[in-house]
């Protein structure tokens, strides 16, 4: 059998570990030929590059960030005759099945292609952790650890200067990174896309902290968080207004805007730090390497069992397969009760 694998959407630590696991089990146990499809869906759409991946290619990559297969945000459904072109490439390379590794966008395409009769299995990745149907995506743990370390470092300088520090982390639709790194980093407030920001409440909490003699504050804000209506600005803060092929704008800057507003309203000195792609780069944590490896092994097993249209998923401590179509119905946002745990430490 010939199996094609691709990585799509934003990269994240652990992609190479997944590829390695698929290739190891696919070649050693099932005697499959594994083909790397380069640059995500673009590789299938444009008829390549597609090339065999060997055991030698993947031996040294478990600890590497990025993806040896490269990635793109190509949406084949936005291209003329996209499905036809993809089917042609699959035929040309005699691919019997595709393993697509990606977030909501890449896996959304995979779900649609499965409906079109293409044999596909999905693996959920994204630092944002917002794919439904699984307890966790790989890449998330690494991002949380990077953000937590940054918060620890920024705290000492914030405290030394009696400043209010706004730390912006990634999280387009969901505040998972903000919530986890904020709790781990002892944040005094965590602002997430799920709950519009009430500026007056933020300001009053900071003022109360100062009145108690706690003259510095650490506020963690997800890039997708928005100001509550009536605050003057209610939309996303955008780096670039242009949308990608999945309709996403480029976010970034809410920490800067908030720092300005808070400084203006309180007179306290404010600073901001936007962590950006640092959260997505570099070596994966041990947890992400293990999760990626388990996902990769389960995905090739699903292919071997002929269970297509599935996404591998973590449920508790077990890896299982869930219907892709089901997982793509909604984005997994943060849980209210979980947020309440963080709120105990606010203000
Ligand atoms: O992959 C998810 C993500 O990291 C989002 O949190 C962020 O908004 C986006 O990707 C950034 O994408 P790009 O790398 O294309 O700028």
């Amino acid at each position: 059998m010939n199996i094609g694998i691709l990585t799509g959407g934003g990269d994240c630590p652990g992609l190479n570990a997944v590829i390695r696991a698929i290739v190891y089990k696919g070649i050693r146990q099932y005697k499959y030929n594994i083909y790397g499809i380069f640059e995500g869906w673009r590789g299938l759409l444009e008829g390549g590059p597609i090339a065999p991946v060997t055991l030698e290619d993947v031996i040294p990559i478990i600890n590497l960030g990025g993806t040896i297969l490269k990635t793109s945000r190509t949406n084949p459904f936005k291209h003329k005759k996209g499905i036809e072109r993809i089917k042609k490439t699959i035929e040309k390379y005699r691919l019997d099945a595709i393993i697509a590794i990606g977030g909501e966008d890449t896996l959304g395409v995979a779900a649609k292609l499965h409906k079109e009769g293409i044999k596909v299995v999905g693996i959920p990745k994204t630092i944002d952790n917002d794919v439904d149907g699984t307890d966790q995506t790989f890449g998330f743990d690494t991002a949380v650890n990077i953000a937590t370390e940054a918060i620890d470092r920024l705290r000492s300088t914030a405290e030394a200067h009696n400043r209010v520090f706004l730390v912006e982390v990634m999280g387009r639709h969901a505040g998972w990174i903000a919530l986890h790194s904020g709790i781990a980093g002892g944040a005094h407030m965590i602002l997430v896309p799920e709950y519009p920001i009430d500026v007056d409440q933020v300001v009053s909490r900071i003022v109360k902290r100062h009145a108690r003699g706690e003259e510095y504050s650490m506020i963690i804000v997800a890039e997708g968080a928005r100001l509550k209506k009536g605050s003057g600005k209610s939309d996303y803060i955008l780096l670039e207004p242009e949308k990608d092929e999945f309709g996403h704008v480029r976010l970034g800057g809410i920490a800067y805007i908030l720092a300005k507003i808070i400084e203006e309203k309180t007179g306290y000195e404010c600073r901001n730090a936007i962590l950006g792609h640092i959260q997505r780069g570099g070596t994966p944590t041990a947890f992400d390497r293990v999760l990626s490896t388990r996902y990769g092994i389960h995905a090739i097993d699903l292919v071997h069992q002929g269970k297509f249209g599935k996404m591998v998923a973590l449920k508790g401590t077990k890896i299982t397969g869930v219907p892709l179509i089901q997982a793509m119905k909604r984005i997994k946002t943060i849980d209210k009760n979980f947020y309440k745990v963080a709120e105990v430490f606010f203000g």
Side-chain angles (χ1 to χ4, degrees), residues 233-262:
K233 294 170 190 286
S234 63
D235 223 336
Y236 285 129
I237 307 301
L238 307 181
L239 267 185
E240 304 278 351
E242 291 100 58
K243 293 185 176 167
D244 67 19
E245 290 189 4
F246 289 93
H248 303 312
V249 287
R250 272 180 67 198
L251 300 175
I254 180 74
Y256 171 80
I257 300 285
L258 268 176
K260 285 247 170 252
I261 297 175
I262 294 169

Side-chain angles (χ1 to χ4, degrees), residues 9-11 73 125-128 170-172 177 223 244 249-251 277 280:
D11 73 321
R73 292 198 185 272
K125 70 89 222 177
T126 164
I127 65 164
D128 289 3
M170 280 189 171
R172 177 180 290 280
I177 300 177
E223 62 179 355
D244 67 19
V249 287
R250 272 180 67 198
L251 300 175
H277 291 80
R280 264 185 19 204

